[in-house]
Amino acid sequence: MVTSIITMKMATENEIETGELLFSPPTDVTLASGRWRRQRAIRFVAFGSVILGLAATRLGYFVATGDLITLSLHASSSPYFLPALLLLVLVAVMVLPTIALGKSPHISFEPKDIAVDFGSIRGLGPEVAEVKRTLEVFVYRDRFDKEMGGQARRGVLFEGPPGTGKTLMAKAMAKQAHVPFLYASASSFQAMYYGQTNRKIRAYFKALRKAARRNGGAIGFIDEFDAIGASRSNYGSGSGEGVTGVVSELLVQMQSFEMPTRSRRLFKAILGPVPLFRSYFNEPIEVPNVLLVAATNRVADLDPALIRPGRFDRIINFGLPSRNERMDLIEFFLSSRSHSADLDVMLNRERIASKTMGYTPAMIERLFDEALVIATRDCMKQMTYSNVEEAVLTVSIGLPRSETYPPSQRVAIATHEAGHAVMAWASGKNRVVEMVSILKRGPSLGATLHQMPEESFLETRSDLHSMIMIALGGMVAEEVLLGEPSSGAASDLVSATHTAARCVGMYGMEGIYFSLGMPGGGTRDDVARVLNDPKARDLLEDLLERLYKDTVSVIKVHRDLVAKVTDALMEHEELTRDELMNILPLISDSVLDLRDS
């Protein structure tokens, strides 16, 4: 741990394991909170003494003059009493709803109410480390400012897909800093009346400043921030509230932490001209220690003025967990769930990590909950590895339905899926077939699950060509073995066309070296951009035609394997990876380059 002027208490091994980050007391947050409480107590005593003195003086006057009995109220006998009361009710009915509509929509959490800490966050090692550094500067803001001459971060933007732990991270920050956590969703700021959205934003930042003054600091969190922070360039330059007015209000409020409080403005107006108090009101205003955290999965849509330094000083990307991070998540989630011994076997855990490539932490947690539901359905008290495998299929492609297909269609579906499986097998080390099924799941009449055997961050030309040929394998198998294809290849053709369009128009793999994915192309759809360009369309058709012929060659050479897989599917309906290994021989290299002599 690096030692600096901003001193942190060295954590013990137990504290590191539990994710606790302990700061050496007293932090600037606790010192500021203590100062506010002392000032508040002094103001309370002074104001209370003045009020009690005035009341005692007035009461003494009535006692001395003998008019104490005349203090009884006779206002009810006045002819103006009822009209005044009615007017007061009407004003309340008209004003109170308006005040309520402009109220801040946040929900405030005290540190003791938050159950999440850094030990509850797994699979986000670099993100947690960066957040801890930000939090360290937050709790030692005064020292960072006065001793080191720096300026603490005012805003941190969490960017990433849903379910990657952005909200949990913000809660853990508030828990560790021991400051209030003001949560609000961006949609809760939106109102139907003109000007009310801006009022809610002002009320929220006012509540943040107030909480920070009382407790030495406060953390605000706005979820789905793009709902109120979208770029103004997409909506013209209108002067109404709309998006332009809301973003402008956000820009102002994110730099309004130096605003004086209402009581300071009042006392300055009254006592400012007095020479005795003039020097006090000329002193710099103490800026409340506020850290605003926002979360979005569409950072590109935010207004550039919002994400510049001085507003959101740091953007932290929450990506999908890597294989090692998924292994950590699997261990963490299984530790709190009842499971059998086969899920403690490292090989099975590695298989789960491989099957969950592309999953977010929330999806992995939901996967184990689904496996527990399946175990409960089978009258078991523990989930097994087979339950997790079934949960993967359920989450990926839906619940199985045992449809009674006509015999000819059943053969066509089995042949179609066998074609996909054999083409994936022919890719050699590039793909691993996890499961083949002819059970109806969701809209699919069958399914073939295959994936890369190892974590992959790039796709080569041969990888993409293999994916296209695997997609075409089902239709080709029907044509070669049954004499004609069926309509079941519709979604496969969509997938093959989309992959081929990326090869042609975006990746420069097929003879076009400028990207059709550049902004301003008239459409965001990659396939549409390729189809609208005559040269790219011709290359796309040539690529698909060439790979279709190659797929026909491979299926003809291995038609006996397609027939074996078809027969096995007709008998068992679903084949696992181990069952397929008994049918398909082991190969070390791709055989997709085979041609029919």
Side-chain angles (χ1 to χ4, degrees), residues 179 201 231 243 255 257 282 292 310 320 344 369 393 410 468 471 491-492 500 527 529 541 573:
V179 296
I201 292 174
S231 177
V243 173
Q255 289 190 316
F257 300 132
N282 288 334
L292 180 65
L320 297 175
D344 292 326
D369 290 337
L393 297 177
R410 183 180 174 89
I468 296 171
S491 61
D492 297 330
V527 177
R529 289 180 174 181
E541 292 178 349
E573 294 187 325

Side-chain angles (χ1 to χ4, degrees), residues 10 37 48 182 219 234 245 247 292 305 317 319 365-366 386 397 458 469 501 520 532 540 546 549 568 576 578 581:
M10 295 295 291
R37 296 179 187 279
L182 278 64
I219 294 179
N234 298 331
V247 173
L292 180 65
N317 182 267
E365 183 177 18
R366 183 70 188 91
S386 61
I397 53 180
L458 294 172
M469 295 177 68
N532 291 335
L540 174 63
R546 184 173 75 249
K549 292 178 179 179
T576 63
D578 295 334
M581 290 177 62

Side-chain angles (χ1 to χ4, degrees), residues 69 90 286 300 523 571:
I69 302 178
L90 289 176
E286 183 178 354
T523 175
E571 180 180 357

Side-chain angles (χ1 to χ4, degrees), residues 317-329:
N317 182 267
F318 286 67
L320 297 175
S322 64
R323 184 184 182 89
N324 291 335
E325 290 170 340
R326 292 198 302 275
M327 288 290 292
D328 186 28
L329 288 166

